[in-house]
């Protein structure tokens, strides 16, 4: 970032294919001083010259094209091109208001010790449960889990720690989800200070990966892999607790749930993901 660049916050939008860019063009992205939208785009065979005019003509938009595959690789491409002090992770189907973006800027301005924060989003679909009060991310509220586009952070913590998204996790990867959990875990493990902030910053009306696949074997496999990393001493007890809680909603009950979980834990270790 050169000395004349006044950008304070970059909204890092990951897009896939032509439809991804069309969704960005149709969404609400307010023009706000100090805010830039950084689009990391995987064309997936789309015409790279056909970027919608709604994006091309905006001076606060920049598009970086990558021929990589997988959402985490796309996010890492965005991180590599980021230059602003503050970064906000986003997707092509997320919309913002000026007030939501200002809330992110205000929080980090008022909390200089914070390296990473997770916020709230609103949705017309099935509502996600959010805690009412703020808390340290090292001691999360029971039942809380993070979604990628709730995460904002200082670029300096990435420069200091070298943490990036684990590219074996996320859509179009070996494990279809869980990349945000591992990302936050690695940041905190490397000394980042993080907080949950009960402030709505964006809107997402579609289903998340958890909404679509939360009761399928493939998703429970992801949980087995993620919990083996993030809770290496207590994951067996957590597995049993999750299996008992989900026994009436998961096909096959407790035994099938644990079998899927253990499959993820085993595969993750075999892939040497956790070194």
């Amino acid at each position: 970032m050169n000395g004349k660049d006044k950008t304070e916050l970059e909204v890092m939008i990951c897009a896939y294919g032509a439809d991804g860019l069309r969704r960005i063009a149709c969404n609400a992205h307010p023009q706000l001083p100090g805010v830039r939208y950084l689009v990391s785009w995987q064309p997936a065979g789309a015409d790279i010259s056909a970027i919608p005019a709604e994006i091309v003509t905006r001076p606060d938009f920049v598009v970086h094209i990558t021929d990589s595959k997988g959402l985490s690789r796309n996010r890492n491409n965005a991180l590599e091109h980021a230059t602003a002090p503050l970064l906000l992770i986003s997707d092509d189907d997320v919309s913002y208001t000026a007030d939501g973006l200002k809330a992110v800027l205000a929080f980090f301005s008022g909390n200089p010790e914070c390296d990473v924060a997770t916020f709230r989003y609103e949705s017309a679909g099935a509502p996600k449960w959010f805690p009412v009060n703020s808390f340290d991310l090292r001691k999360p509220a029971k039942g809380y889990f993070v979604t990628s586009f709730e995460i904002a952070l200082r670029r300096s913590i990435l420069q200091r720690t070298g943490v990036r998204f684990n590219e074996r996790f996320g859509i179009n990867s070996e494990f279809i989800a869980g990349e945000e959990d591992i990302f936050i875990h690695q940041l905190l493990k490397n000394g980042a200070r993080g907080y949950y902030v009960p402030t709505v910053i964006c809107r997402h009306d579609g289903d998340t990966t958890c909404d679509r696949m939360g009761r399928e074997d493939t998703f429970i496999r992801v949980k087995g892999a993620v919990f083996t990393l993030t809770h290496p001493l207590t994951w067996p007890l957590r597995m049993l607790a999750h299996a008992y809680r989900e026994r009436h909603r998961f096909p096959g009950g407790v035994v099938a749930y644990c079998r899927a979980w253990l499959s993820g834990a085993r595969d993750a270790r075999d892939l040497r993901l956790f070194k």
Side-chain angles (χ1 to χ4, degrees), residues 243-263:
Y244 182 78
R245 186 165 61 242
E246 298 290 326
R247 68 191 185 282
H248 298 306
R249 295 187 294 175
F250 187 77
V254 171
V255 172
Y257 191 102
C258 290
R259 185 181 297 120
W261 183 300
L262 290 170
S263 171

Side-chain angles (χ1 to χ4, degrees), residues 65-187:
I65 299 173
T66 172
D67 61 1
S68 64
K69 181 181 178 180
L71 178 56
S72 286
R73 287 188 175 91
N74 208 359
R75 294 212 190 281
N76 285 339
N77 183 61
L79 292 177
E80 292 305 315
H81 286 93
T83 58
L86 297 176
L87 309 176
L88 178 60
I89 295 169
S90 187
D91 288 327
D92 56 32
D93 54 356
V94 177
S95 61
Y96 296 90
T97 65
D99 286 344
L101 297 175
K102 288 177 181 178
V104 175
L105 289 164
F107 175 79
F108 280 96
S109 176
N111 296 273
E113 81 288 354
C114 181
D115 299 302
V116 57
T118 63
F119 294 85
R120 294 180 55 169
Y121 70 91
E122 60 183 3
S123 174
K128 175 181 173 179
W129 176 79
F130 289 101
V132 175
N133 299 314
S134 181
F135 53 78
D136 190 317
L137 289 176
R138 294 181 184 276
K139 301 175 181 179
K142 186 176 181 180
Y144 172 75
F145 65 93
V146 66
T147 304
S148 292
F149 49 80
E150 299 165 2
I151 301 171
L153 67 158
R154 297 187 192 275
R155 189 165 63 92
S156 58
I157 192 62
L158 299 178
Q159 295 173 310
R160 190 161 73 243
T161 64
V163 170
R164 296 294 186 272
F165 282 90
N166 189 313
E167 295 180 354
R168 296 185 185 271
F169 288 78
I171 295 171
N172 287 327
S173 301
E174 289 154 281
F175 295 87
I176 60 165
E179 72 279 5
E180 56 271 268
D181 302 275
I182 295 174
F183 183 67
I184 293 290
H185 173 79
Q186 291 299 107
L187 286 172

